[in-house]
Amino acid sequence: METNEAQKLENLRKLIAPYFNPSKSNNDNSEVYTAQINISYYELGCVITNMLKMCVMTLDNDGHIKSSTNKNPINVSLILEMILEMFPLNEFELLGEINQMVVGDN
């Protein structure tokens, strides 16, 4: 039984390696900059949720429209683009594969 658990652990390490590679870098010369924020997945989920809520409230209240009282409207498109960049799709893919590995064995 321990051999099976050790094999599962080794498979998990191999599965995780490409997703959690700290040597990722952006070496292109484009004008794209990367900001790194060290927060937990829960905190990231809260930030994304609150940004989406802000977009909904802005659209519902016409906060994206420039008017005499709203000189600097909220750029909903920019916020939604940022949310897409923040969304941890690689980690979700990893969680899906881990789930398949664990559930697939049952």
Side-chain angles (χ1 to χ4, degrees):
M1 179 76 79
E2 283 185 30
T3 310
N4 191 20
E5 293 298 319
Q7 185 61 39
K8 283 184 182 180
L9 183 58
E10 185 58 32
N11 289 342
L12 183 59
R13 283 189 182 127
K14 288 178 185 176
L15 186 65
I16 290 174
Y19 294 95
F20 294 104
N21 185 355
S23 65
K24 291 180 186 175
S25 64
N26 188 4
N27 291 329
D28 61 31
N29 292 328
S30 67
E31 291 190 25
V32 175
Y33 299 95
T34 302
Q36 185 173 1
I37 303 170
N38 294 321
I39 59 176
S40 70
Y41 284 109
Y42 177 76
E43 291 169 324
L44 177 61
C46 290
V47 168
I48 290 172
T49 300
N50 284 320
M51 290 175 82
L52 290 170
K53 287 178 184 178
M54 179 183 64
C55 289
V56 168
M57 288 175 45
T58 300
L59 292 172
D60 284 348
N61 295 314
D62 294 326
H64 62 291
I65 298 172
K66 190 172 183 175
S67 68
S68 60
T69 58
N70 189 12
K71 301 286 185 202
N72 298 313
I74 295 171
N75 187 339
V76 176
S77 297
L78 178 64
I79 294 168
L80 292 173
E81 286 177 17
M82 288 176 60
I83 292 170
L84 286 173
E85 291 294 321
M86 295 169 67
F87 215 77
L89 289 178
N90 288 343
E91 286 83 352
F92 286 145
E93 181 181 357
L94 171 65
L95 290 173
E97 291 183 29
I98 292 171
N99 183 48
Q100 183 62 38
M101 185 176 78
V102 173
V103 173
D105 289 341
N106 288 339

